[in-house]
C-alpha cells in the first residue's frame, strides 16, 4: 500500500536546504541543544510537580531534516499498520483495485514523501510517542518514545525572528521536554492514546482509491498542480476521513487530549521562561506574530489540508484551559487531570474549563 523506503528517499531528495552554518557552528548548536534539553528536565519537573522517573530511558536526538523524516516514517509505519492491512484486504474487492494495484505503493510512497519534505522544514521539535527503535534512531525501552530536536529548523526560526539564539533554543527545549515529562510521568497516557488511535483506525471504512486521492491532492498542492481555486474544495484535512459516528466521537476525545498536551506545554514554557530565559517576552511575542501571520496562499491551503491550522487552535485553546484551571484550583489541582482517562477533559470542557473543575473537583469533594 505504501512504499515506505521510497517515501523516505523522495522526502530526503526534495527537502529544502537548511540555513547556512559552518561545521563548527553546527557542532556548537547540537551541543547546546543537548545541554538545554538536559537542563529543561529539572525546570519542567519543578514547575509541573510531575515526577518523570523513566525520562532517562527516552533518548534526546538532535536531528537534521532527513533525520526527522526517517523518524516519522518509522512512527507512521508502526501506528498505521492496522489501517493499511485492512485497506490491503479490501483492495482485492474494490472496483478500482486494478487501477490502484497498477499505481500501487510506489506512487503513494512518492506522494507521502512530498508531504514529509514540506513538513520537515516546519517542525522545531517533537516528542515521538510511538517510536520503534532503529539502528540510527534509538527509542526508549518498553515502548517508550524519543525526543527529537530539529537543529536546522530551530536555527532558521531564531534567525528569522532575530532573537537571542541561546534563549530561543532553551525556550524550544522547555516546550518539548514538557511533552516528554507528560508521557514519562503518566504511565497510562501512551497506552490510552494508542488505544484511541487504534479504535479510530479500526472504524475506518475508506476505499483505497479515496485514500490515494487525498494524498495526491495534498502532494499536488506542493507543486502547484491543482487548478485555481480547487484548494478551497471541501476544506477537508487528511485526518477528516471520518465516516462513522463512532469515529467522530473518538476524534473529539483525541482533539481534547492533544489540546491539553499542547496547551500544557505552552503554559509550562511561559511559566518557566521568565526565570531561565531572559528574553522570553520578546521571543513569545515574535513567535506568536509568526504563527498568526500565516504564509502564502499555497502554504495556507496545504496547512488546512494537513490539519495544521487545527494544531494551532490546540495550542491556543489548550493553553487557555490549563491557565483557567490552575487559576481556579492551583497546580496540584490541575494535576488531577493525569489521574486516569476519566479525568481527562472532554472537548467541551476544553472550551469551558469551569465544567471540568466542577466534574473532577467539586463532585469528588461532595
Amino acid at each position: 500500500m505504501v512504499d515506505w523506503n521510497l517515501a523516505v528517499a523522495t522526502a530526503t531528495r526534495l527537502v529544502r536546504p537548511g540555513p547556512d552554518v559552518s561545521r563548527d557552528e553546527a557542532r556548537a548548536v547540537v551541543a547546546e541543544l543537548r545541554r538545554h534539553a538536559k537542563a529543561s528536565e529539572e525546570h519542567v519537573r519543578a514547575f509541573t510537580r510531575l515526577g518523570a522517573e523513566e525520562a532517562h530511558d527516552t533518548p534526546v536526538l538532535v536531528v537534521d531534516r532527513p533525520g526527522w523524516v526517517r523518524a516519522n516514517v518509522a512512527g507512521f509505519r508502526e501506528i498505521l499498520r492496522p489501517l493499511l492491512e485492512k485497506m490491503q484486504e479490501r483492495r482485492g474487492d474494490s472496483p478500482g483495485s486494478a487501477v490502484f494495484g497498477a499505481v500501487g505503493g510506489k506512487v503513494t510512497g512518492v506522494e507521502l514523501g512530498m508531504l514529509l519534505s514540506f513538513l520537515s522544514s516546519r517542525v522545531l521539535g517533537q516528542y515521538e510517542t510511538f517510536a520503534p527503535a532503529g539502528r540510527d534512531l534509538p527509542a526508549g525501552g518498553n515502548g517508550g518514545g524519543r525526543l527529537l530536536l530539529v537543529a536546522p529548523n530551530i536555527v532558521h526560526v531564531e534567525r528569522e525572528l532575530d532573537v537571542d539564539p541561546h534563549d530561543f533554543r532553551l525556550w524550544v527545549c522547555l516546550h518539548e521536554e514538557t511533552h516528554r515529562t507528560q508521557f514519562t510521568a503518566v504511565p497510562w497516557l501512551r497506552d490510552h492514546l494508542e488505544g484511541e488511535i487504534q479504535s479510530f483506525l479500526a472504524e475506518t471504512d475508506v476505499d483505497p482509491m479515496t485514500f490515494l486521492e487525498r494524498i495526491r491532492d495534498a502532494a499536488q498542492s506542493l507543486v502547484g498542480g491543482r487548478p485555481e481555486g480547487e484548494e478551497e474544495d471541501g476544506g477537508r484535512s487528511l485526518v477528516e476521513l471520518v465516516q462513522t459516528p463512532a469515529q467522530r466521537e473518538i476524534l473529539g476525545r483525541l482533539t481534547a487530549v492533544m489540546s491539553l498536551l499542547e496547551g500544557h506545554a505552552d503554559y509550562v514554557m511561559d511559566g518557566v521562561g521568565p526565570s531561565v530565559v531572559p528574553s522570553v517576552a520578546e521571543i513569545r511575542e515574535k513567535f506568536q506574530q509568526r504563527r498568526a501571520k500565516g504564509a502564502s496562499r499555497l502554504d495556507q491551503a496545504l496547512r488546512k489540508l494537513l490539519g495544521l491550522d487545527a494544531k494551532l487552535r490546540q495550542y491556543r485553546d489548550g493553553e487557555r484551559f490549563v491557565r483557567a484551571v490552575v487559576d481556579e484550583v492551583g497546580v496540584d489541582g490541575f494535576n488531577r487531570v493525569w489521574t486516569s482517562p476519566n479525568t481527562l477533559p472532554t472537548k467541551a470542557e476544553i472550551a469551558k474549563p469551569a465544567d471540568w473543575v466542577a466534574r473532577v473537583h467539586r463532585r469528588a469533594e461532595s
Side-chain angles (χ1 to χ4, degrees), residues 26-41 60-63 147 149 169 173 177 180:
R27 287 198 189 102
V29 170
V30 170
E32 184 172 25
L33 286 172
R34 286 178 177 151
R35 288 196 305 272
H36 284 333
K38 182 65 178 174
S40 294
E41 286 184 47
V60 177
L61 306 180
V62 182
V63 297
L147 182 61
L149 296 168
R169 293 165 196 172
C173 288
E177 177 58 38
R180 185 163 72 145

Side-chain angles (χ1 to χ4, degrees), residues 71-123:
N72 275 267
V73 164
F76 289 156
R77 191 172 190 171
E78 185 73 18
I79 201 70
L80 291 176
R81 181 176 287 117
L83 173 62
L84 294 179
E85 287 175 352
K86 180 177 180 179
M87 291 173 62
Q88 182 73 29
E89 290 173 6
R90 286 199 56 187
R91 191 176 74 175
D93 301 327
S94 171
S97 61
V99 176
F100 192 86
V103 176
K106 298 290 184 186
V107 169
T108 311
V110 167
E111 295 184 334
L112 180 60
M114 293 172 74
L115 293 180
L116 289 169
S117 71
F118 168 82
L119 293 171
S120 68
S121 62
R122 283 157 171 75
V123 178

Side-chain angles (χ1 to χ4, degrees), residues 6 18 29 95 113 132 143 149 163 167-169 191 201 211 220 236-237 248 256 262 326-327 335 365:
L6 186 56
V29 170
L149 296 168
V163 293
D167 285 1
F168 184 75
R169 293 165 196 172
D191 290 342
L201 295 177
F211 184 76
Q220 288 178 346
R236 298 206 298 171
S237 75
R248 282 189 286 273
E262 296 294 357
V326 172
D327 287 348
N335 280 342
E365 293 163 3

Side-chain angles (χ1 to χ4, degrees), residues 79-80 82-83 86 196-204 247:
I79 201 70
L80 291 176
L83 173 62
K86 180 177 180 179
E196 292 281 51
I197 292 171
Q198 294 303 335
S199 295
F200 178 87
L201 295 177
E203 290 284 337
T204 300
Q247 283 184 309

